[in-house]
Amino acid sequence: MSITDLLIIAVSLSMDAFAVSICKGLSVPKMKLRHALICGVYFGGFQILMPLLGYLLGSTFAGLIQHISHWVAFVLLALIGANMVRESFGGEEEGECQPDFGWRAMLPLAVATAIDALAVGVSFAALRVAILPSVLIIGATTFTLSAAGVKIGNAFGARYQKFAGRIGGIVLILMGCKILLEGLGILG
């Protein structure tokens, strides 16, 4: 596999995390470096972990993983997105509009946005791709795009904080639907 192919895969795998990071940035009233770093570490870290895990599982479980990864990603993203939309219609309680960068919020997002990378890792095993440099490139790409996504979302979203949860939730639900439709072969 060429470095160009690997970079294209890395950017493609990073797009879901980038979109979620933009949504997280939308809801941050005053962005701090730690917000960008938290998104970068969670999303980049899981983009390293999931293909590595997929590679280790190898072709033995390839059929099972490839057949359910789109369902797992859809369910996680749809539930998280629906919860964000539901919370955006709630009352104006103290702290409700504050973005959550804690592990309980970030872990499911990181898993959901990296689930496709698990199947990529399985395919890397089948293709006998050098896994360590590959996952490091994927992780670094995702870290960079996710950290930038928080800043981009914050720059454009500070005036629209009230609707950030709704927008973010809808984007997550749509991403989950897209992943599901691609997995079912409906979208190319």
PDB file of all heavy atoms in Angstrom, residues 97-118:
ATOM      1  N   CYS A  97     -26.201  23.888  28.945  1.00  0.00           N
ATOM      2  CA  CYS A  97     -25.667  24.310  27.655  1.00  0.00           C
ATOM      3  C   CYS A  97     -24.162  24.112  27.569  1.00  0.00           C
ATOM      4  O   CYS A  97     -23.572  24.368  26.541  1.00  0.00           O
ATOM      5  CB  CYS A  97     -26.011  25.782  27.394  1.00  0.00           C
ATOM      6  SG  CYS A  97     -27.765  26.057  27.180  1.00  0.00           S
ATOM      7  N   GLN A  98     -23.549  23.697  28.655  1.00  0.00           N
ATOM      8  CA  GLN A  98     -22.108  23.486  28.653  1.00  0.00           C
ATOM      9  C   GLN A  98     -21.770  22.202  27.915  1.00  0.00           C
ATOM     10  O   GLN A  98     -22.405  21.179  28.126  1.00  0.00           O
ATOM     11  CB  GLN A  98     -21.569  23.415  30.086  1.00  0.00           C
ATOM     12  CG  GLN A  98     -21.744  24.694  30.861  1.00  0.00           C
ATOM     13  CD  GLN A  98     -21.000  25.847  30.222  1.00  0.00           C
ATOM     14  OE1 GLN A  98     -19.875  25.692  29.781  1.00  0.00           O
ATOM     15  NE2 GLN A  98     -21.648  26.989  30.163  1.00  0.00           N
ATOM     16  N   PRO A  99     -20.752  22.225  27.064  1.00  0.00           N
ATOM     17  CA  PRO A  99     -20.351  21.007  26.374  1.00  0.00           C
ATOM     18  C   PRO A  99     -19.718  20.032  27.362  1.00  0.00           C
ATOM     19  O   PRO A  99     -19.129  20.437  28.357  1.00  0.00           O
ATOM     20  CB  PRO A  99     -19.323  21.493  25.357  1.00  0.00           C
ATOM     21  CG  PRO A  99     -18.771  22.741  25.949  1.00  0.00           C
ATOM     22  CD  PRO A  99     -19.913  23.365  26.721  1.00  0.00           C
ATOM     23  N   ASP A 100     -19.852  18.782  27.087  1.00  0.00           N
ATOM     24  CA  ASP A 100     -19.304  17.759  27.973  1.00  0.00           C
ATOM     25  C   ASP A 100     -18.095  17.119  27.303  1.00  0.00           C
ATOM     26  O   ASP A 100     -18.236  16.428  26.295  1.00  0.00           O
ATOM     27  CB  ASP A 100     -20.377  16.716  28.283  1.00  0.00           C
ATOM     28  CG  ASP A 100     -19.952  15.738  29.357  1.00  0.00           C
ATOM     29  OD1 ASP A 100     -18.787  15.794  29.799  1.00  0.00           O
ATOM     30  OD2 ASP A 100     -20.800  14.917  29.759  1.00  0.00           O
ATOM     31  N   PHE A 101     -16.923  17.351  27.853  1.00  0.00           N
ATOM     32  CA  PHE A 101     -15.694  16.765  27.344  1.00  0.00           C
ATOM     33  C   PHE A 101     -15.173  15.684  28.298  1.00  0.00           C
ATOM     34  O   PHE A 101     -14.026  15.274  28.207  1.00  0.00           O
ATOM     35  CB  PHE A 101     -14.620  17.843  27.137  1.00  0.00           C
ATOM     36  CG  PHE A 101     -14.877  18.705  25.939  1.00  0.00           C
ATOM     37  CD1 PHE A 101     -15.705  19.807  26.012  1.00  0.00           C
ATOM     38  CD2 PHE A 101     -14.288  18.405  24.725  1.00  0.00           C
ATOM     39  CE1 PHE A 101     -15.951  20.604  24.906  1.00  0.00           C
ATOM     40  CE2 PHE A 101     -14.525  19.186  23.603  1.00  0.00           C
ATOM     41  CZ  PHE A 101     -15.346  20.288  23.699  1.00  0.00           C
ATOM     42  N   GLY A 102     -16.034  15.241  29.213  1.00  0.00           N
ATOM     43  CA  GLY A 102     -15.663  14.178  30.141  1.00  0.00           C
ATOM     44  C   GLY A 102     -15.627  12.832  29.431  1.00  0.00           C
ATOM     45  O   GLY A 102     -16.140  12.670  28.319  1.00  0.00           O
ATOM     46  N   TRP A 103     -15.084  11.842  30.088  1.00  0.00           N
ATOM     47  CA  TRP A 103     -14.908  10.541  29.452  1.00  0.00           C
ATOM     48  C   TRP A 103     -16.247   9.877  29.115  1.00  0.00           C
ATOM     49  O   TRP A 103     -16.348   9.157  28.133  1.00  0.00           O
ATOM     50  CB  TRP A 103     -14.026   9.623  30.300  1.00  0.00           C
ATOM     51  CG  TRP A 103     -14.666   9.118  31.565  1.00  0.00           C
ATOM     52  CD1 TRP A 103     -14.630   9.692  32.799  1.00  0.00           C
ATOM     53  CD2 TRP A 103     -15.441   7.932  31.702  1.00  0.00           C
ATOM     54  NE1 TRP A 103     -15.333   8.943  33.698  1.00  0.00           N
ATOM     55  CE2 TRP A 103     -15.844   7.844  33.049  1.00  0.00           C
ATOM     56  CE3 TRP A 103     -15.838   6.926  30.814  1.00  0.00           C
ATOM     57  CZ2 TRP A 103     -16.621   6.802  33.522  1.00  0.00           C
ATOM     58  CZ3 TRP A 103     -16.611   5.884  31.298  1.00  0.00           C
ATOM     59  CH2 TRP A 103     -16.998   5.833  32.641  1.00  0.00           C
ATOM     60  N   ARG A 104     -17.278  10.135  29.908  1.00  0.00           N
ATOM     61  CA  ARG A 104     -18.594   9.529  29.624  1.00  0.00           C
ATOM     62  C   ARG A 104     -19.188  10.053  28.324  1.00  0.00           C
ATOM     63  O   ARG A 104     -19.944   9.352  27.671  1.00  0.00           O
ATOM     64  CB  ARG A 104     -19.547   9.773  30.778  1.00  0.00           C
ATOM     65  CG  ARG A 104     -19.263   8.918  31.968  1.00  0.00           C
ATOM     66  CD  ARG A 104     -20.376   9.012  32.997  1.00  0.00           C
ATOM     67  NE  ARG A 104     -20.100   8.124  34.100  1.00  0.00           N
ATOM     68  CZ  ARG A 104     -19.945   8.502  35.348  1.00  0.00           C
ATOM     69  NH1 ARG A 104     -20.054   9.778  35.662  1.00  0.00           N
ATOM     70  NH2 ARG A 104     -19.694   7.623  36.286  1.00  0.00           N
ATOM     71  N   ALA A 105     -18.879  11.271  27.971  1.00  0.00           N
ATOM     72  CA  ALA A 105     -19.363  11.834  26.705  1.00  0.00           C
ATOM     73  C   ALA A 105     -18.428  11.478  25.556  1.00  0.00           C
ATOM     74  O   ALA A 105     -18.874  11.155  24.458  1.00  0.00           O
ATOM     75  CB  ALA A 105     -19.490  13.351  26.826  1.00  0.00           C
ATOM     76  N   MET A 106     -17.131  11.524  25.808  1.00  0.00           N
ATOM     77  CA  MET A 106     -16.153  11.356  24.731  1.00  0.00           C
ATOM     78  C   MET A 106     -15.938   9.905  24.328  1.00  0.00           C
ATOM     79  O   MET A 106     -15.734   9.614  23.144  1.00  0.00           O
ATOM     80  CB  MET A 106     -14.816  11.995  25.117  1.00  0.00           C
ATOM     81  CG  MET A 106     -14.883  13.508  25.285  1.00  0.00           C
ATOM     82  SD  MET A 106     -15.483  14.398  23.826  1.00  0.00           S
ATOM     83  CE  MET A 106     -14.210  13.988  22.632  1.00  0.00           C
ATOM     84  N   LEU A 107     -15.979   8.983  25.273  1.00  0.00           N
ATOM     85  CA  LEU A 107     -15.716   7.582  24.958  1.00  0.00           C
ATOM     86  C   LEU A 107     -16.689   7.003  23.922  1.00  0.00           C
ATOM     87  O   LEU A 107     -16.252   6.435  22.922  1.00  0.00           O
ATOM     88  CB  LEU A 107     -15.694   6.742  26.235  1.00  0.00           C
ATOM     89  CG  LEU A 107     -15.325   5.271  26.056  1.00  0.00           C
ATOM     90  CD1 LEU A 107     -13.905   5.130  25.544  1.00  0.00           C
ATOM     91  CD2 LEU A 107     -15.483   4.530  27.384  1.00  0.00           C
ATOM     92  N   PRO A 108     -18.006   7.159  24.111  1.00  0.00           N
ATOM     93  CA  PRO A 108     -18.916   6.618  23.098  1.00  0.00           C
ATOM     94  C   PRO A 108     -18.751   7.296  21.729  1.00  0.00           C
ATOM     95  O   PRO A 108     -18.870   6.642  20.686  1.00  0.00           O
ATOM     96  CB  PRO A 108     -20.319   6.879  23.650  1.00  0.00           C
ATOM     97  CG  PRO A 108     -20.152   7.303  25.047  1.00  0.00           C
ATOM     98  CD  PRO A 108     -18.732   7.701  25.263  1.00  0.00           C
ATOM     99  N   LEU A 109     -18.465   8.596  21.730  1.00  0.00           N
ATOM    100  CA  LEU A 109     -18.236   9.288  20.464  1.00  0.00           C
ATOM    101  C   LEU A 109     -16.979   8.757  19.775  1.00  0.00           C
ATOM    102  O   LEU A 109     -16.970   8.545  18.561  1.00  0.00           O
ATOM    103  CB  LEU A 109     -18.103  10.800  20.696  1.00  0.00           C
ATOM    104  CG  LEU A 109     -19.367  11.541  21.095  1.00  0.00           C
ATOM    105  CD1 LEU A 109     -19.039  12.981  21.492  1.00  0.00           C
ATOM    106  CD2 LEU A 109     -20.384  11.512  19.970  1.00  0.00           C
ATOM    107  N   ALA A 110     -15.929   8.541  20.551  1.00  0.00           N
ATOM    108  CA  ALA A 110     -14.677   8.036  19.979  1.00  0.00           C
ATOM    109  C   ALA A 110     -14.862   6.630  19.416  1.00  0.00           C
ATOM    110  O   ALA A 110     -14.382   6.325  18.319  1.00  0.00           O
ATOM    111  CB  ALA A 110     -13.574   8.046  21.040  1.00  0.00           C
ATOM    112  N   VAL A 111     -15.578   5.785  20.147  1.00  0.00           N
ATOM    113  CA  VAL A 111     -15.830   4.424  19.651  1.00  0.00           C
ATOM    114  C   VAL A 111     -16.694   4.477  18.391  1.00  0.00           C
ATOM    115  O   VAL A 111     -16.397   3.820  17.391  1.00  0.00           O
ATOM    116  CB  VAL A 111     -16.503   3.556  20.742  1.00  0.00           C
ATOM    117  CG1 VAL A 111     -16.974   2.227  20.166  1.00  0.00           C
ATOM    118  CG2 VAL A 111     -15.541   3.320  21.900  1.00  0.00           C
ATOM    119  N   ALA A 112     -17.756   5.271  18.435  1.00  0.00           N
ATOM    120  CA  ALA A 112     -18.675   5.338  17.289  1.00  0.00           C
ATOM    121  C   ALA A 112     -17.993   5.862  16.032  1.00  0.00           C
ATOM    122  O   ALA A 112     -18.246   5.361  14.932  1.00  0.00           O
ATOM    123  CB  ALA A 112     -19.882   6.220  17.638  1.00  0.00           C
ATOM    124  N   THR A 113     -17.130   6.852  16.189  1.00  0.00           N
ATOM    125  CA  THR A 113     -16.481   7.412  15.002  1.00  0.00           C
ATOM    126  C   THR A 113     -15.318   6.555  14.520  1.00  0.00           C
ATOM    127  O   THR A 113     -14.850   6.738  13.404  1.00  0.00           O
ATOM    128  CB  THR A 113     -15.985   8.853  15.260  1.00  0.00           C
ATOM    129  OG1 THR A 113     -15.071   8.849  16.361  1.00  0.00           O
ATOM    130  CG2 THR A 113     -17.147   9.795  15.516  1.00  0.00           C
ATOM    131  N   ALA A 114     -14.865   5.605  15.331  1.00  0.00           N
ATOM    132  CA  ALA A 114     -13.725   4.762  14.945  1.00  0.00           C
ATOM    133  C   ALA A 114     -14.124   3.329  14.611  1.00  0.00           C
ATOM    134  O   ALA A 114     -13.267   2.526  14.267  1.00  0.00           O
ATOM    135  CB  ALA A 114     -12.673   4.757  16.053  1.00  0.00           C
ATOM    136  N   ILE A 115     -15.404   3.002  14.690  1.00  0.00           N
ATOM    137  CA  ILE A 115     -15.821   1.613  14.486  1.00  0.00           C
ATOM    138  C   ILE A 115     -15.472   1.117  13.081  1.00  0.00           C
ATOM    139  O   ILE A 115     -15.105  -0.047  12.899  1.00  0.00           O
ATOM    140  CB  ILE A 115     -17.321   1.418  14.822  1.00  0.00           C
ATOM    141  CG1 ILE A 115     -17.645  -0.059  15.023  1.00  0.00           C
ATOM    142  CG2 ILE A 115     -18.212   2.042  13.787  1.00  0.00           C
ATOM    143  CD1 ILE A 115     -17.209  -0.595  16.344  1.00  0.00           C
ATOM    144  N   ASP A 116     -15.564   1.988  12.091  1.00  0.00           N
ATOM    145  CA  ASP A 116     -15.196   1.585  10.735  1.00  0.00           C
ATOM    146  C   ASP A 116     -13.716   1.239  10.633  1.00  0.00           C
ATOM    147  O   ASP A 116     -13.318   0.418   9.805  1.00  0.00           O
ATOM    148  CB  ASP A 116     -15.517   2.694   9.730  1.00  0.00           C
ATOM    149  CG  ASP A 116     -17.005   2.819   9.452  1.00  0.00           C
ATOM    150  OD1 ASP A 116     -17.756   1.885   9.797  1.00  0.00           O
ATOM    151  OD2 ASP A 116     -17.411   3.850   8.893  1.00  0.00           O
ATOM    152  N   ALA A 117     -12.903   1.867  11.457  1.00  0.00           N
ATOM    153  CA  ALA A 117     -11.464   1.603  11.445  1.00  0.00           C
ATOM    154  C   ALA A 117     -11.158   0.169  11.888  1.00  0.00           C
ATOM    155  O   ALA A 117     -10.125  -0.381  11.514  1.00  0.00           O
ATOM    156  CB  ALA A 117     -10.736   2.605  12.333  1.00  0.00           C
ATOM    157  N   LEU A 118     -12.056  -0.426  12.649  1.00  0.00           N
ATOM    158  CA  LEU A 118     -11.892  -1.822  13.038  1.00  0.00           C
ATOM    159  C   LEU A 118     -11.872  -2.715  11.795  1.00  0.00           C
ATOM    160  O   LEU A 118     -10.984  -3.571  11.647  1.00  0.00           O
ATOM    161  CB  LEU A 118     -13.026  -2.230  13.980  1.00  0.00           C
ATOM    162  CG  LEU A 118     -12.943  -3.584  14.649  1.00  0.00           C
ATOM    163  CD1 LEU A 118     -11.809  -3.600  15.668  1.00  0.00           C
ATOM    164  CD2 LEU A 118     -14.249  -3.888  15.339  1.00  0.00           C
TER     165      LEU A 118
END
